[in-house]
């Protein structure tokens, strides 16, 4: 049986509105990424993961298939917690291997999307009757403290979702995770790597237009919940590689100067012609820089595995031992 441990959904909405107001008044204007993941957005993201151009899930899958036994041996995890679990596709590999290894007792998926989470938690509970499934509807940037304690915990944050955080948010999350980890716990991160710009651009500009529909859905979601007047035809979709920041910059450009109102936020928002509206970034990483970031946050990369093409990495991290403690 799957149980829903905590639902922080309602409390979190105020913070989302606050962040939306803040983001839309910033330069460049930006919507918080969370608007992408309503029920329809989560379904569209599922479709993205099956697109031929979107290599990320397959690369991660290749690594996890090859390395799951090693991960089980190294971590001996009794609890697997997955942040941003969504439909928990790649998690099954870990559940199978950790389950077969014999140490795993609990699976704790944490995700903002209550519906997607409930459905996947129930499917997993039915498929793994010996593992207790305790779902948490929450935001990994705010709710890490809700993860149950005790045993040897493996916290997984897969799919390179870490790349969707801005550098300051990423530093905060890594620091929070370092603080959350007990000495026997570990953190498993899926990390997309810097590569040829053309392949990156292709991954976020698929010819079927699924990624565009996914990003446009954020405007629809904002219109519905915030009584806003974003008109799709007045915005052109744009996903481009920024070589300086080393991230995909994903969102829109206003096709003409116009004003959008967001009644629920009391905001009138003027767009100039060609002005950008960012919906997400997707950072790509290099090993050395990532290890440095992790170390600054108090984490040590204990293992680093890539797929055979070198497109993607899975890293196992532990809390950096502080001398004398
Ligand atoms: C969830 N996340 C890792 C995806 C990415 O690649 O940054 C979200 C996405 N946006 C457009 N396509 C996929």
């Amino acid at each position: 049986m799957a149980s829903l441990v905590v639902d922080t959904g309602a409390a979190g909405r105020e913070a989302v509105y606050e962040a939306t107001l803040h983001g839309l008044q910033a330069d460049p204007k930006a919507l918080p990424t969370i608007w992408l993941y309503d029920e329809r957005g989560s379904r569209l993201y599922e479709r993205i993961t099956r697109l031929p151009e979107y290599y990320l899930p397959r690369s991660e899958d290749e690594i996890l298939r090859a390395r799951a036994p090693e991960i089980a041996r190294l971590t001996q995890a009794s609890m697997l917690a997955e942040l941003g679990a969504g439909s928990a596709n790649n998690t099954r590999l870990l559940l199978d291997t950790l389950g077969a290894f014999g140490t795993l007792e609990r699976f704790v998926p944490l995700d903002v999307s209550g519906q997607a989470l409930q459905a996947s938690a129930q499917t997993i509970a039915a498929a793994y009757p010996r593992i207790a499934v305790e779902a948490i509807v929450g935001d990994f940037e705010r709710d890490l403290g809700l993860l149950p304690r005790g045993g040897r915990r493996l916290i997984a944050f897969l799919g390179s979702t870490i790349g969707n955080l801005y550098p300051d948010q990423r530093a905060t999350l890594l620091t929070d995770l370092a603080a959350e980890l007990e000495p026997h716990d570990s953190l498993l991160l899926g990390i997309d790597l810097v590569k040829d710009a053309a392949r990156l651009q292709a991954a976020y500009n698929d010819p079927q237009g699924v990624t565009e529909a996914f990003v446009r859905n954020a405007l629809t979601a904002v219109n519905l919940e915030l009584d806003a007047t974003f008109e799709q035809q007045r915005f052109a979709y744009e996903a481009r590689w920024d070589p300086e920041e080393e991230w995909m910059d994903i969102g829109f450009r206003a096709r003409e100067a116009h004003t959008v109102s967001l009644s629920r936020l009391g905001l009138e928002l003027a767009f100039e012609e060609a002005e950008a509206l960012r919906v997400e970034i997707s950072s790509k990483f290099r090993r050395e820089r990532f290890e440095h970031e992790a170390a600054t946050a108090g984490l040590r990369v204990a293992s680093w595995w890539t797929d055979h093409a070198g497109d993607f990495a899975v890293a196992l991290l532990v809390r950096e031992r502080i001398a004398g403690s």
Side-chain angles (χ1 to χ4, degrees), residues 102-254:
T103 50
L104 193 67
E105 293 160 10
R106 300 161 101 176
F107 173 53
V108 182
L110 182 149
D111 198 276
V112 278
S113 168
Q115 266 153 332
L117 185 65
Q118 285 251 12
S120 75
Q122 267 157 17
T123 313
I124 292 213
Y128 300 87
R130 301 233 299 271
I131 297 171
V133 180
E134 300 163 19
I136 300 177
V137 180
D139 179 344
F140 53 73
E141 288 188 81
R142 238 192 16 237
D143 299 319
L144 285 182
L146 298 175
L147 295 177
R149 292 189 164 247
R152 299 175 80 100
R153 302 181 306 168
L154 173 61
I155 302 179
F157 192 31
L158 298 175
S160 201
T161 303
I162 193 162
N164 299 127
L165 301 178
Y166 288 93
D168 58 330
Q169 291 176 299
R170 194 164 72 223
T172 304
L173 180 70
L174 289 174
T175 307
D176 291 351
L177 281 164
E180 181 63 29
L181 291 189
E182 305 280 358
H184 293 301
D185 295 343
S186 20
L187 174 64
L188 193 69
L189 285 181
I191 301 166
D192 196 17
L193 302 176
V194 173
K195 59 184 62 62
D196 175 47
R199 280 190 64 214
L200 287 166
Q201 302 253 137
Y204 295 86
N205 289 282
D206 65 281
Q208 291 180 51
V210 183
T211 310
E212 177 172 345
F214 168 70
V215 180
R216 285 195 178 279
N217 185 58
L219 298 184
T220 308
V222 171
N223 281 349
L224 284 174
E225 196 168 329
L226 297 181
D227 291 328
T229 61
F230 283 103
E231 290 175 61
Q232 298 284 2
Q233 69 279 8
R234 295 182 113 164
F235 289 95
Y237 173 68
E238 185 179 85
R240 61 173 190 91
W241 173 241
D242 181 332
E244 253 139 63
E245 300 286 5
E246 297 198 320
W247 65 40
M248 287 299 299
D249 200 335
I250 303 166
F252 304 99
R253 274 197 194 270

